[in-house]
Amino acid sequence: MSYLARRLLTFPLVMLGVSILVFFAIRMVPGDAITAMLGTEAGLLTPAQRAALAAYFGIDKPILVQYWSWLLGVLQGDLGISVIHGKPALAIILERFPLTLQLALMSMCVALLVGLPAGVFAATRNEKMSDLAVRIFAMIGQSTPNFVVGLLIIYALSAGFGILPTMGEFTPLFTDPLRNLGQMILPAITLGFAFAASVTRISRSAMLDVLSDDYVRTARSKGVPKRSVIWRHALPNALIPVVTLSGVEFGYLLGGAVLVEQIYALPGLGRLVLEAILQRDYALVQGCVLFIAFNFLVVNLLVDLLYVTLDPRIRLGEGN
Amino acid sequence: MSMLRAIFSHPSGRIGGTIVLLYIVVALLGMSGITPHNPLQQFRIDRLHAPSALYWMGTDLFGRDVASRLMNGIGQSFLVAFCSVAIATFAGTVLGLTAAWFGKAWDGLVMRIMDVLLAFPAILLALLIIAVVGPGTWTSVAAIAIVYTPIFTRVVRGPALSIKAREFVDAARTFGSSRRYILTRHLLLNLVAPLTVQVTLALAWSLLTEAGLSFLGLGTQPPASSLGLMLADSRNLMENAPWMLIFPAVAIMISILGFNLLGDALRDILDPKTRRSAP
């Protein structure tokens, strides 16, 4: 079977596994669902009322039947009702998702804008002082958790300039783009910081590999200017690992947004998961986790497809 | 011994190794209570005291000594990181080895489960586990262990499959060596190199994950100290008491840097093939 077909076939299987894991994990929460829903008021229920509620929510049925009807619901876009918000979980998730998506996209831009030139620069000055400096910065960048970056940025701004970047109501992109970008740029830098470091390291090593290839030497010996060799001949081939990394990291950015959104008080998907966990809103936890995992898998699938397009050698390799 | 010499003659190994050794000493001191002050004792008169000869890194809102809490917190973070990576390494190695050895249905089952676990961004899977079990030190150990087990399973299974197909394993089988002997002596011993690299890098990630979880209030619970928790405490006080932010922040960065540098050095030393292509 070709790589592509196998990859497409495993996607629904993995997604099914994810749904099983998420469903049964939430069912393992200690205590029954009705108490979780009603809190202390559940103590006032008579056994008959309790049984009626259990029948209403379908939790008196065998667990596999419950899973099946839940799965059918999920396939039709029904992720359950959030107890705290009193709305369908999917509606809340879709309200919060654009912010997280924008944050992830912006931090990816930050990472590529900083990381690619830095990596190419370091590769062309291999083993010189400037290369060493870039590598040290990249290593430190990779070792700094994003919430530490965020806290340090906030501290530097408030101590140095007396500004508190977290203040004010959040403005959506299409209401007031300028104000929105102003609010999002620091979170994007925070989230993209470690990613920029990874991009620097991987583009440096990919560029070094490509620069030692024969065709680059041929181009140089034909008298093509150095700058043109680097940007026109070498870079496109060095981009393949960067694309893979970016795709994989993009999925992580969606998840890593939890901490950054928390620090900058942004009402995104990551913060929604956290609130749902802290408030024990299990339908919402379940919905959010499923939604993020789905996106993560889709992005990974797209990256693999893109990778195949970029590098035809993969299509033929069987691997295991 | 020769391994230690190799690490210390590698430039990033020297820095990384020294950092890691220093942190282990600090962690042991912090866990065994050998700190400048009692990390839980509240010196009420000296609340939010700036760093001084008495309080090397200042005090926090409750007048607790930041240096002592930092030492204790490093101990706590290292405890979580080491325990979770130990569990993940053990589970991943057993699963990866048996998947490679028995193949067929068992291999399929194990690897599909690992695929499912890998379908979550790490912090999200940890959050899901904590949502189910409730926050705490040992929950974070379990959560981080589960998050990193699939990576170890994959790191072990791939090479184990190729070693299994080599002649010397066939030879051992024809000699009548037991399955356990072949698995531990022939397969596992040949996997020590990639596993060592992976363990070092996983320690860096799990320190990062632990700090993140306790920063969110879902890891180590107060009044115990951990680096993430100390940073969370510093959020509203950073302007008046920047020492509460700077010291734990730098401590986290340097600890992760140490493991990353050591991991890179080990990869160079143990696996020269990946030297150039390593990210």
Side-chain angles (χ1 to χ4, degrees):
Chain A
M1 212 189 302
S2 80
Y3 174 80
L4 219 64
R6 210 154 18 123
R7 195 66 186 76
L8 286 172
L9 208 69
T10 47
F11 177 77
L13 283 180
V14 172
M15 206 50 225
L16 189 72
V18 167
S19 77
I20 293 174
L21 180 73
V22 172
F23 179 85
F24 286 95
I26 295 296
R27 292 304 174 284
M28 276 162 63
V29 173
D32 67 312
I34 293 176
T35 315
M37 238 177 282
L38 297 181
T40 44
E41 287 166 32
L44 303 172
L45 293 174
T46 63
Q49 282 172 321
R50 200 172 254 280
L53 269 178
Y56 177 74
F57 287 112
I59 47 182
D60 56 340
K61 298 197 186 80
I63 188 95
L64 285 177
V65 178
Q66 285 185 43
Y67 170 71
W68 181 244
S69 57
W70 174 77
L71 188 66
L72 287 181
V74 168
L75 289 176
Q76 291 161 12
D78 174 15
L79 292 177
I81 306 282
S82 153
V83 184
I84 304 287
H85 299 263
K87 283 199 281 189
L90 186 65
I92 306 167
I93 292 171
L94 290 178
E95 252 168 50
R96 303 286 195 100
F97 183 57
L99 194 161
T100 305
L101 187 65
Q102 189 197 344
L103 180 61
L105 285 173
M106 279 179 71
S107 43
M108 195 147 139
C109 291
V110 169
L112 291 175
L113 283 177
V114 176
L116 261 183
V120 172
F121 172 81
T124 53
R125 281 163 187 72
N126 192 16
E127 303 300 331
K128 290 197 184 123
M129 277 309 279
S130 43
D131 173 37
L132 192 69
V134 170
R135 280 158 70 192
I136 289 174
F137 270 111
M139 197 72 205
I140 293 175
Q142 254 191 336
S143 305
T144 314
N146 53 32
F147 64 96
V148 173
V149 177
L151 289 175
L152 290 176
I153 289 181
I154 293 176
Y155 172 65
L157 284 181
S158 67
F161 305 97
I163 320 167
L164 266 184
T166 48
M167 287 302 174
E169 188 89 343
F170 175 73
T171 326
L173 180 62
F174 297 109
T175 320
D176 184 352
L178 268 183
R179 198 176 147 74
N180 168 278
L181 289 179
Q183 284 177 325
M184 293 290 279
I185 188 69
L186 288 174
I189 292 175
T190 305
L191 190 57
F193 195 77
F195 185 17
S198 318
V199 172
T200 307
R201 297 190 78 196
I202 207 156
S203 53
R204 176 183 170 273
S205 70
M207 198 66 190
L208 276 179
D209 274 346
V210 175
L211 283 178
S212 63
D213 277 354
D214 289 339
Y215 79 93
V216 171
R217 203 171 309 126
T218 313
R220 286 302 303 276
S221 57
K222 270 166 52 187
V224 181
K226 191 176 178 193
R227 179 180 291 184
S228 162
V229 169
I230 290 171
W231 295 101
R232 299 248 326 267
H233 295 246
L235 189 63
N237 272 327
L239 275 181
I240 294 172
V242 179
V243 168
T244 325
L245 176 83
S246 307
V248 174
E249 283 275 344
F250 186 71
Y252 282 105
L253 291 179
L254 290 177
V258 180
L259 284 151
V260 175
E261 286 172 9
Q262 179 70 7
I263 289 177
Y264 288 98
L266 291 174
L269 195 54
R271 194 132 167 268
L272 186 68
V273 181
L274 195 68
E275 286 165 7
I277 288 174
L278 293 174
Q279 297 171 332
R280 304 185 160 272
D281 189 342
Y282 292 114
L284 194 54
V285 174
Q286 194 168 278
C288 287
V289 172
L290 205 63
F291 186 81
I292 297 177
F294 177 73
N295 281 296
F296 190 56
L297 280 174
V298 169
V299 171
N300 280 342
L301 183 70
L302 289 178
V303 173
D304 278 6
L305 298 184
L306 187 65
Y307 198 37
V308 172
T309 337
L310 279 176
D311 191 348
R313 282 168 295 183
I314 304 288
R315 224 172 322 177
L316 309 166
E318 276 297 303
N320 51 52
Chain B
M1 268 302 110
S2 64
M3 188 68 219
L4 266 183
R5 199 171 303 137
I7 291 174
F8 277 88
S9 55
H10 187 286
S12 53
R14 197 168 343 164
I15 306 172
T18 314
I19 293 175
V20 169
L21 279 180
L22 275 176
Y23 266 85
I24 291 177
V25 172
V26 171
L28 288 175
L29 288 176
M31 286 309 269
S32 49
I34 309 173
T35 49
H37 299 275
N38 178 347
L40 292 179
Q41 195 180 344
Q42 305 183 355
F43 301 98
R44 302 251 168 106
I45 317 167
D46 290 333
R47 288 169 41 177
L48 295 179
H49 197 285
S52 64
L54 182 59
Y55 307 110
W56 302 342
M57 298 182 183
T59 60
D60 67 4
L61 184 62
F62 302 101
R64 297 174 300 193
D65 180 41
V66 172
S68 310
R69 288 184 69 70
L70 192 75
M71 289 175 73
N72 193 253
I74 290 173
Q76 188 74 29
S77 302
F78 270 51
L79 180 75
V80 172
F82 276 95
C83 288
S84 53
V85 172
I87 298 172
T89 311
F90 179 75
T93 308
V94 170
L95 289 172
L97 270 184
T98 52
W101 187 260
F102 295 109
K104 297 189 189 100
W106 174 246
D107 184 30
L109 179 72
V110 169
M111 294 323 284
R112 290 303 80 73
I113 293 177
M114 295 306 136
D115 283 348
V116 169
L117 290 179
L118 282 172
F120 297 90
I123 189 109
L124 189 73
L125 183 56
L127 284 178
L128 177 68
I129 296 164
I130 290 166
V132 174
V133 191
T137 305
W138 294 106
T139 315
S140 16
V141 170
I144 298 172
I146 293 175
V147 168
Y148 292 119
T149 297
I151 297 173
F152 281 100
T153 311
R154 285 200 168 176
V155 164
V156 167
R157 179 180 167 271
L161 269 178
S162 68
I163 297 170
K164 183 190 160 193
R166 300 260 292 272
E167 283 96 355
F168 71 87
V169 175
D170 284 339
R173 264 198 268 200
T174 42
F175 288 154
S177 305
S178 71
R179 187 188 293 152
R180 180 193 283 185
Y181 185 85
I182 298 178
L183 277 177
T184 52
R185 281 302 165 88
H186 294 308
L187 264 63
L188 192 57
L189 268 188
N190 276 307
L191 290 168
V192 168
L195 267 178
T196 316
V197 176
Q198 205 58 44
V199 164
T200 322
L201 295 175
L203 281 169
W205 304 328
S206 66
L207 277 174
L208 215 139
T209 315
E210 194 277 335
L213 289 177
S214 48
F215 178 75
L216 291 174
L218 297 171
T220 304
Q221 296 296 304
S225 62
S226 102
L227 296 177
L229 207 55
M230 291 178 76
L231 282 174
D233 286 345
S234 80
R235 274 187 72 185
N236 298 322
L237 295 162
M238 56 171 80
E239 272 184 275
N240 303 322
W243 53 88
M244 283 178 65
L245 165 72
I246 304 293
F247 291 113
V250 172
I252 293 184
M253 279 166 65
I254 295 181
S255 66
I256 298 173
L257 182 69
F259 281 107
N260 273 335
L261 285 172
L262 188 62
D264 271 15
L266 283 170
R267 181 159 43 197
D268 277 359
I269 296 164
L270 296 169
D271 195 2
K273 274 176 298 185
T274 58
R275 194 175 297 175
R276 285 292 298 280
S277 58

